[in-house]
Amino acid sequence: MAPEIFARLAIYLTQLGVALLLSYLLWNFSRIYQQSYIRSWFLALLAFAVYQLSAVIQGLLPDVTGLMNALLYFSVVGSSYMFAVFLLRGMLQTRDNSKHLLLQLSGVQLLWMLVALALITVLPFALTDAFGDWQQYFRVSVRLLLMGIVLLAAAVGLLPRIERSLGQKLAVVSLTLWGLLYIISALWQLLTEQQLTDLNWILVYKCAELFLLCCLGLALLIWLQEHERNTNVQLTEKTRYLNHYDQLTGALNRDALLLRLEDTLKQHSGPVYVLMLGLDKFKTINESVGLKQGDLMLRQLNQRFDNSILKPALIARTGGDIFALVLTDISNDTQLQFALRHLQQLVEKPFVVESGQLKLTGTIGFACSPQDGQTADSLLQKANIAFHQAKRIQHKCLAYQTGMEDESARLISWESELLAGMQNDEFVLYFQPQLNVRDNRLDAFEVLVRWQHPKRGFLMPGQFLPFVEQLGLSRQLDFWILHKAVATLSQWKQHQLHIPFAVNMSSLHFQQDGLKQKIRQLLQQYQVSPELLELEITENTAMHDMEKGSNHVMELQQMGIRVSIDDFGTGYSSLAYLRRMPIDKIKIDRSFVMDMAGNDSDMMIVKTMIKLAHGLGKRILAEGVETAVQLQLLKNMSCDAVQGYYIARPLSEADALAFCSRQLSL
């Protein structure tokens, strides 16, 4: 009997090992992809491993009776049903068919239901011998029959979604054959009233089961690899798409607009109108209803332009709330006035958001070829000049006129106010916490700026930073913020607070050779450790002059100052600079985090960024975390740190100190 026992034990242990290996692989895949159907497959194969382990123990302890025997049979029956049912549940989850009963139950509810079914099958025979003649039917034949039916149902559940996937086809074949194996075996035992006791037949049956287990496992792994490949293909297509289109609205981006407008000017002999349309007070809308609802309104507006009777030749989004439209079928002033009124009506049509309906107004500036310009860049520039002039004088619509470029009087006024604001300390620092995901502790504060204007009131960055850039005052304002940040660090140090500050640095200031000396002087003046200071630069700044930028970063790092890349993913497409640029941290732009939970492509982009950063030995932070789901996904993907409204909005200094106190008390 020893060879027989060894043969049976070998085949059972092989099945146990294969099932454990497959369940381990699926468990790892479920952590990476965060998909419910992979978790169901993992539970199914883990249950099959328990089933095989129970069978092995039964084979090694053939004479066991009483409670131990009942427990072993309960384990065999329960794990068998769990294997088949969770496998079916996983296949149904791949179809997103939430109406099915198995998907309406939670995993825990389903588990308890199967435990109850197993108890009903085993308990009567454990309590009395009155049903002894039926014991083998329920424990073996009926169990195999039910398992076979469920496996066939799982195969049928896959049929509607099969395309060219080898993994899905192999899974259908494996499930079908496995289901038939169980059903035929059960019917043979029921009809002939004979049990499968001959060793040769047992070995053939178990080898067939092992073969089908391997086929199913291979099918699921191929399926997941095909899913990853398809996701990578989608990621590549999305990258190509983003080279020409705006991710949020689907409109053309600025670069693509210039290229296509140049082609339009060459092909079209008549007048070509370029219109710049911006929403009025849209930043206030964002602050009142939230960024997500504001983004929804921008998408709705783009759809209105696309579906309008004007049929613009080109539609582009060139700024936060600014669209550029190209019209080629306007031949007289009457048509032009109709087009302008129609566009205003499209903007003023109520937008539906969660809080109700919102009405907006828009401002339009436009230029026309050939009189205003004969190149795409010239026309866009002059339309932009007309738009800003219309904004300034509060006209709904304005055509470009020669001389609009001369805005020196207005800019001089802004320049004097900005310089006075820096001199009189009218600017105020705000602080947004950056949280370490691993230990849920405060990592640093990003330093932001607001302007408490004596006449205009409390101004957000978008209300004055454009003028700062136009006037070339970015360096002065950067240094003011840097000076104020270091002074604040010194004050906080007196309160035994040593929290690093991350300060944004404009490209012009970062590229200045004297930046290192200025920072050193500030740190020495206020006796602040350089480890408490981090400079944030954009991708475009890093790529502008890579060699010079790398030298600047290394010089700062030698002083102990960290440098990070801000808004990663929104600038240059090339990632080569990450390898060459000795930066410390990468910040994923909020646009990728925003729809990550409901968008596989965005989640794959974020996961790729995190892996890329870690592979290069750099820390990574995700911006724009607004929900607990986003935070959990980032934790699962091993993101190092996060910031966003879910953690905290930008805080005044007093509120930031209170936030520190709460963190230290944890």
Side-chain angles (χ1 to χ4, degrees):
M1 294 296 291
E4 296 180 5
I5 295 174
F6 177 78
R8 295 181 65 174
L9 187 61
I11 195 75
Y12 276 99
L13 288 176
T14 302
Q15 286 185 321
L16 174 61
V18 171
L20 286 174
L21 176 61
L22 290 172
S23 60
Y24 173 75
L25 292 174
L26 289 171
W27 176 70
N28 277 288
F29 276 116
S30 71
R31 294 177 60 194
I32 296 171
Y33 294 112
Q34 298 291 315
Q35 296 292 340
S36 57
Y37 63 88
I38 305 179
R39 288 193 290 271
S40 294
W41 292 346
F42 155 69
L43 292 173
L45 288 171
L46 186 63
F48 188 82
V50 173
Y51 162 54
Q52 295 302 319
L53 180 62
S54 303
V56 168
I57 296 174
Q58 277 188 323
L60 294 175
L61 303 173
D63 300 327
V64 69
T65 57
L67 179 61
M68 185 63 182
N69 182 51
L71 288 174
L72 284 174
Y73 271 114
F74 170 77
S75 179
V76 169
V77 173
S79 57
S80 300
Y81 290 153
M82 289 176 194
F83 160 66
V85 171
F86 273 100
L87 197 60
L88 172 59
R89 177 184 170 92
M91 298 306 169
L92 291 172
Q93 285 170 329
T94 63
R95 296 169 50 193
D96 297 324
N97 184 10
S98 58
K99 296 181 180 180
H100 197 281
L101 176 62
L102 287 181
L103 301 185
Q104 293 178 349
L105 295 172
S106 68
V108 175
Q109 290 174 327
L110 186 59
L111 190 63
W112 280 113
M113 187 181 75
L114 294 173
V115 168
L117 180 61
L119 284 173
I120 293 172
T121 305
V122 174
L123 198 58
F125 305 108
L127 296 176
T128 178
D129 295 330
F131 306 105
D133 295 339
W134 295 92
Q135 180 172 342
Q136 195 65 27
Y137 289 109
F138 279 94
R139 289 182 175 177
V140 180
S141 302
V142 174
R143 174 173 60 84
L144 290 178
L145 183 62
L146 291 176
M147 288 175 66
I149 293 172
V150 174
L151 292 178
L152 283 180
V156 172
L158 275 181
L159 287 176
R161 63 163 294 160
I162 287 185
E163 296 174 356
R164 296 183 179 179
S165 170
L166 175 62
Q168 294 178 21
K169 292 178 181 178
L170 183 57
V172 169
V173 174
S174 302
L175 289 170
T176 302
L177 293 177
W178 206 340
L180 290 175
L181 175 68
Y182 282 160
I183 291 174
I184 292 171
S185 176
L187 291 177
W188 181 81
Q189 294 184 59
L190 286 171
L191 295 176
T192 62
E193 298 184 356
Q194 297 180 10
Q195 303 306 314
L196 201 62
T197 56
D198 183 79
L199 177 62
N200 293 329
W201 283 109
I202 290 176
L203 291 179
V204 170
Y205 171 80
K206 297 305 290 184
C207 284
E209 191 178 46
L210 174 60
F211 173 75
L212 293 171
L213 172 65
C214 293
C215 287
L216 180 62
L218 181 62
L220 298 182
L221 294 178
I222 292 174
W223 189 341
L224 292 175
Q225 290 300 321
E226 289 174 331
H227 170 77
E228 184 172 9
R229 183 188 64 195
N230 292 336
T231 302
N232 288 334
V233 169
Q234 292 174 3
L235 178 60
T236 302
E237 291 175 350
K238 184 166 185 177
T239 302
R240 292 173 180 168
Y241 175 84
L242 292 177
N243 285 334
H244 297 90
Y245 296 93
D246 171 55
Q247 181 183 7
L248 178 64
T249 61
L252 295 171
N253 60 27
R254 182 183 177 87
D255 292 338
L257 171 66
L258 288 171
L259 290 173
R260 298 199 184 185
L261 178 55
E262 201 66 57
D263 292 338
T264 301
L265 291 171
K266 292 176 182 178
Q267 297 169 7
H268 193 75
S269 58
V272 175
Y273 285 85
V274 178
L275 288 73
M276 298 292 290
L277 185 150
L279 302 178
D280 300 329
K281 300 180 181 179
F282 188 69
K283 291 181 176 61
T284 305
I285 297 293
N286 271 338
E287 292 172 1
S288 61
V289 301
L291 295 174
K292 190 172 183 180
Q293 293 301 306
D295 292 344
L296 176 62
M297 294 168 69
L298 292 176
R299 285 193 288 267
Q300 290 180 7
L301 183 58
N302 183 69
Q303 291 174 357
R304 293 179 186 180
F305 292 151
D306 196 35
N307 298 328
S308 71
I309 58 174
L310 290 177
K311 297 297 179 186
L314 300 173
I315 303 172
R317 180 172 174 241
T318 59
D321 57 12
I322 300 175
F323 290 84
L325 297 95
V326 177
L327 305 178
T328 58
D329 54 357
I330 294 178
S331 56
N332 54 58
D333 188 64
T334 301
Q335 291 178 341
L336 175 61
Q337 294 305 318
F338 170 79
L340 296 174
R341 284 196 302 271
H342 181 67
L343 289 174
Q344 292 286 2
Q345 290 168 359
L346 291 178
V347 174
E348 293 169 4
K349 181 181 177 182
F351 291 86
V352 179
V353 295
E354 291 180 353
S355 57
Q357 291 188 347
L358 285 176
K359 291 194 68 175
L360 295 177
T361 57
T363 300
I364 299 176
F366 64 92
C368 179
S369 72
Q371 60 266 31
D372 296 331
Q374 299 182 5
T375 65
D377 189 64
S378 175
L379 277 175
L380 195 62
Q381 179 187 10
K382 290 177 178 177
N384 190 52
I385 290 171
F387 166 73
H388 285 291
Q389 180 72 1
K391 278 277 193 183
R392 284 190 295 273
I393 63 176
Q394 298 184 351
H395 274 205
K396 284 192 173 184
C397 187
L398 196 63
Y400 171 78
Q401 295 177 2
T402 304
M404 281 186 177
E405 296 92 336
D406 188 13
E407 301 174 357
S408 58
R410 181 188 59 85
L411 291 177
I412 288 174
S413 174
W414 269 102
E415 183 176 22
S416 61
E417 291 181 30
L418 286 164
L419 292 173
M422 286 183 268
Q423 185 176 358
N424 300 329
D425 277 345
E426 294 170 4
F427 292 95
V428 183
L429 296 188
Y430 269 61
F431 307 85
Q432 186 165 31
Q434 297 177 346
L435 208 64
N436 189 307
V437 174
R438 301 181 189 278
D439 58 10
N440 202 34
R441 287 288 184 179
L442 180 63
D443 236 3
F445 280 108
E446 181 180 6
V447 176
L448 305 170
V449 65
R450 306 289 187 262
W451 189 1
Q452 188 61 59
H453 196 284
K455 295 180 180 178
R456 303 175 190 269
F458 192 77
L459 301 181
M460 299 298 287
Q463 296 173 275
F464 60 88
L465 286 184
F467 299 107
V468 172
E469 294 174 3
Q470 288 180 43
L471 291 165
L473 296 176
S474 297
R475 286 176 55 196
Q476 289 92 319
L477 182 58
D478 280 354
F479 187 75
W480 187 94
I481 295 171
L482 193 60
H483 187 281
K484 190 74 171 179
V486 174
T488 305
L489 282 171
S490 178
Q491 294 170 7
W492 286 22
K493 186 176 67 171
Q494 297 174 10
H495 298 286
Q496 304 302 315
L497 286 176
H498 303 277
I499 309 297
F501 284 179
V503 181
N504 290 281
M505 190 62 56
S506 67
S507 58
L508 289 173
H509 198 183
F510 185 76
Q511 292 159 9
Q512 291 296 317
D513 294 329
L515 177 63
K516 176 183 172 183
Q517 287 74 19
K518 288 182 180 179
I519 295 177
R520 180 184 286 115
Q521 291 171 3
L522 277 176
L523 295 176
Q524 291 175 351
Q525 177 184 350
Y526 288 97
Q527 296 297 303
V528 170
S529 172
E531 285 80 15
L532 294 177
L533 187 60
E534 176 182 325
L535 300 184
E536 294 186 355
I537 59 174
T538 63
E539 284 186 83
N540 294 354
T541 302
M543 288 284 289
H544 185 267
D545 187 339
M546 191 174 294
E547 183 176 355
K548 188 175 181 179
S550 297
N551 293 335
H552 282 316
V553 172
M554 285 189 288
E555 288 176 357
L556 292 168
Q557 286 181 331
Q558 288 169 1
M559 293 173 56
I561 296 170
R562 294 172 295 173
V563 179
S564 62
I565 295 293
D566 195 14
D567 298 334
F568 179 68
T570 61
Y572 286 83
S573 305
S574 172
L575 301 178
Y577 75 91
L578 284 181
R579 180 172 53 85
R580 296 176 55 187
M581 185 74 70
I583 57 174
D584 299 282
K585 185 169 68 179
I586 297 169
K587 296 182 69 175
I588 304 174
D589 185 71
R590 64 173 294 274
S591 61
F592 297 101
V593 177
M594 178 178 57
D595 293 328
M596 180 180 62
N599 188 311
D600 287 344
S601 296
D602 280 351
M603 187 165 69
M604 180 58 67
I605 290 174
V606 173
K607 185 182 77 171
T608 303
M609 289 179 181
I610 294 173
K611 286 187 175 180
L612 175 66
H614 288 166
L616 294 172
K618 305 180 190 302
R619 298 185 75 244
I620 191 157
L621 177 146
E623 296 182 294
V625 176
E626 297 184 359
T627 66
V629 174
Q630 293 170 347
L631 179 60
Q632 188 59 47
L633 285 173
L634 291 165
K635 283 184 179 180
N636 294 339
M637 289 186 279
S638 301
C639 185
D640 298 307
V642 295
Q643 75 178 84
Y645 284 4
Y646 184 75
I647 309 303
R649 292 174 176 268
L651 306 170
S652 65
E653 184 176 356
D655 291 337
L657 288 170
F659 186 92
C660 289
S661 300
R662 291 195 297 271
Q663 280 287 310
L664 293 174
S665 64
L666 294 177

